[in-house]
Amino acid sequence: NQMGSYNIQGFLDDNSEKHGQELYGAKVIGGISTLGKIKNKVAVVIAIANPASKKKVYEKIRGIPNIVFPNFIHPSSWIGEKVVLGEGCIIYPNVSINFEAILNNFVIINMNAAIGHNCEFGDFSTVSPSVSCGGFTKLGSQSFLGIGASTLQSTTIGNKSTIGAGAVIIKDIPDNVTVVGN
C-alpha cells in the first residue's frame, strides 16, 4: 500500500489528434512513447477498464526506466486485514474488500463493489460498479465482471472471461467465455 499524493502531469494517448487537448484540467501531453523521454521518476496509472487493452498498454511501457505503478485507493473504501495488493491497482469509492483477499497486478475494483474474504483476482482483471463477490471467489487474469454481477461463494471464473451485467455466477466458469444471466 503506497501512501502519498501525486500531481497530475497530464494524460497520454497515442491518438495524435488529442495531443494538446485538455481533459479534466490536465493536458494530453503526447503518446505512450513520451514516457521514454522523462528522466525523473514518474508514477503511471493505467485507468482502462478493458482487460486486454490494459495489458496491451502495460506491455508497451513495462521496460521504461523510472516509472512506477502505485495503487490508488479512494479514502471512502474499506480494506480489511491481510489484504494483498499487487501493483497498479485502482480501488474506486465505497468499495469493501474483506480480509485475506488478493488483488494481483493492475486490478480495477469499481465503485460500490463488495469483495468477500479470501477472494483472489488475477492480473489485469476488472470489477464493474456494484459487483458482489462471495468469499473464496477466484477471478482469472484479464477477466471482466459486468455491472451488478455477483458470485456465490467459492466459484472460479477462468482467464479472459467476461461476465455480463447483472449475472449471477452459481458454478465455475471456464477460460475464454462470455456469460450472461444466471
Side-chain angles (χ1 to χ4, degrees), residues 111-122:
M111 62 187 178
N112 303 316
I115 309 306
H117 61 87
N118 302 95
C119 288
E120 183 172 356
F121 295 170

Side-chain angles (χ1 to χ4, degrees), residues 39-97:
K39 301 295 182 219
N40 298 330
K41 187 173 181 180
V42 62
V44 174
V45 59
I46 304 174
I48 301 171
N50 179 287
S53 297
K54 190 175 7 178
K55 185 176 183 198
K56 234 182 246 185
V57 168
Y58 172 74
E59 294 292 333
K60 284 183 179 181
I61 64 177
R62 71 178 175 182
I64 297 173
N66 299 323
I67 62 172
V68 295
F69 301 100
N71 295 315
F72 288 89
I73 302 169
H74 193 275
S76 69
S77 291
W78 177 80
I79 310 294
E81 291 183 34
K82 299 183 181 178
V83 170
V84 176
L85 299 178
E87 66 179 353
C89 294
I90 303 171
I91 311 298
Y92 280 76
N94 301 315
V95 167
S96 172
I97 302 175

Side-chain angles (χ1 to χ4, degrees), residues 131-160:
V131 164
S132 294
C133 291
F136 293 100
T137 294
K138 291 191 185 218
L139 179 63
S141 62
Q142 296 186 64
S143 287
F144 182 89
L145 288 175
I147 295 171
S150 58
T151 68
L152 291 183
Q153 187 165 338
S154 300
T155 50
T156 297
I157 298 167
N159 300 318
K160 298 182 180 180

Side-chain angles (χ1 to χ4, degrees), residues 6-7 18 20 34 37 45 48 69 86 88 92-93 108 118 120 126-127 130 139 158 162 164-165 170 179:
Y6 298 91
N7 294 318
K18 294 182 180 180
T34 305
K37 299 172 187 166
V45 59
I48 301 171
F69 301 100
Y92 280 76
I108 292 176
N118 302 95
E120 183 172 356
T126 295
V127 173
S130 300
L139 179 63
T162 299
I170 60 174
V179 176

